[in-house]
Amino acid sequence: DTGVSQDPRHKITKRGQNVTFRCDPISEHNRLYWYRQTLGQGPEFLTYFQNEAQLEKSRLLSDRFSAERPKGSFSTLEIQRTEQGDSAMYLCASSTGLAGVTDTQYFGPGTRLTVL
Amino acid sequence: DQQVKQNSPSLSVQEGRISILNCDYTNSMFDYFLWYKKYPAEGPTFLISISSIKDKNEDGRFTVFLNKSAKHLSLHIVPSQPGDSAVYFCAARGASSYKLIFGSGTRLLVRP
């Protein structure tokens, strides 16, 4: 399977704990995106990387959230001091970055976070 | 302020008939539109897209229509199959950003 992969698929944590998610994009995709989806809503953009550079961050990405893509391949999203409002599906997507206007994002299966 | 709206939360159609899913947007700077399908506990799967320079794009049973003057797009599925039952999201991207802005989704049920 050469699609986007995410790990773990499910995470249950207690309020106040830190969690880290990993995303492996499609091989040779230059752009990597993080989104968050809550029940009944569409995905909401969090941040994106062009290779290792983080080029855009949403105001949804509070100081407790940090994302990295150190070598321009996989990415991690860390949430510090989790709150119950952080419970959501965290989705990762990647794109080639070479198709100009028609650059299409392909999504992974997501990590479902539950904060107790 | 929702820039992309899917006003029908659900749609039910008979197998073999046409499914029409609608999406409205407010930002005239959007230049690329996509439809994704999502099954429970899975990530969104890309279906079909259209750039703002076109008004129609077709791929097999799926056709997307774009009406820029009305800021409206629609996805037609013909013929509908039970396996098409899922939540469908439309998404739009602005010319100055690579982020996608999604609607809230329409749940399609295709009855056998």
Side-chain angles (χ1 to χ4, degrees), chain A residues 9-10 31 33 35 37 40-45 48 50 56 89 91 100-110 112, chain B residues 2 31-32 34 36 38 41-46 49-52 87 89 93 96-105:
Chain A
R9 295 291 305 274
H10 303 274
R31 295 201 183 115
Y33 311 78
Y35 292 81
Q37 184 177 19
Q41 300 297 318
E44 294 177 290
F45 171 79
Y48 101 90
Q50 170 84 29
E56 188 172 353
M89 174 77 85
L91 294 162
V101 170
T102 59
D103 195 40
T104 297
Q105 297 178 27
Y106 297 90
F107 284 81
R112 178 162 296 284
Chain B
Q2 269 192 299
D31 64 355
Y32 189 48
L34 308 91
Y36 288 86
K38 188 177 185 302
E42 294 184 12
T45 301
F46 170 70
S49 61
I50 188 167
S51 72
S52 59
V87 178
F89 292 96
R93 201 197 71 189
S96 60
S97 171
Y98 292 104
K99 70 182 181 186
L100 294 179
I101 298 175
F102 284 82
S104 55

Side-chain angles (χ1 to χ4, degrees), chain B:
Chain B
D1 178 29
Q2 269 192 299
Q3 297 188 66
V4 178
K5 295 181 182 180
Q6 293 177 258
N7 291 318
S8 298
S10 63
L11 175 67
S12 180
V13 300
Q14 194 74 37
E15 181 179 5
R17 306 294 291 269
I18 185 172
S19 295
I20 300 176
L21 296 98
N22 294 303
C23 180
D24 297 294
Y25 62 96
T26 57
N27 190 337
S28 59
M29 298 303 292
F30 288 150
D31 64 355
Y32 189 48
F33 303 88
L34 308 91
W35 284 93
Y36 288 86
K37 177 171 72 174
K38 188 177 185 302
Y39 294 117
E42 294 184 12
T45 301
F46 170 70
L47 266 180
I48 192 169
S49 61
I50 188 167
S51 72
S52 59
I53 62 173
K54 295 184 175 182
D55 55 18
K56 177 182 175 181
N57 188 26
E58 193 171 353
D59 183 3
R61 297 186 297 114
F62 302 92
T63 303
V64 56
F65 295 92
L66 175 62
N67 182 334
K68 288 191 293 291
S69 61
K71 294 189 180 67
H72 177 83
L73 68 155
S74 61
L75 174 68
H76 292 209
I77 307 173
V78 182
S80 302
Q81 300 173 354
D84 296 329
S85 297
V87 178
Y88 289 78
F89 292 96
C90 70
R93 201 197 71 189
S96 60
S97 171
Y98 292 104
K99 70 182 181 186
L100 294 179
I101 298 175
F102 284 82
S104 55
T106 296
R107 182 177 301 278
L108 173 66
L109 174 64
V110 180
R111 307 185 308 274

Side-chain angles (χ1 to χ4, degrees), chain A residues 55-84:
Chain A
L55 296 186
E56 188 172 353
K57 290 167 58 173
S58 164
R59 56 186 169 81
L60 291 175
L61 214 65
S62 74
D63 291 345
R64 297 184 298 104
F65 288 70
S66 63
E68 294 182 342
R69 194 183 183 198
K71 298 183 180 179
S73 56
F74 73 91
S75 175
T76 58
L77 177 68
E78 181 183 17
I79 309 174
Q80 297 182 326
R81 306 180 303 280
T82 52
E83 302 172 355
Q84 288 183 327

Side-chain angles (χ1 to χ4, degrees), chain A residues 10-30:
Chain A
H10 303 274
K11 179 70 177 179
I12 300 174
T13 191
K14 292 182 179 179
R15 188 177 53 187
Q17 298 294 305
N18 299 344
V19 294
T20 300
F21 309 140
R22 177 181 170 121
C23 171
D24 288 89
I26 294 171
S27 179
E28 298 182 357
H29 274 196
N30 295 324

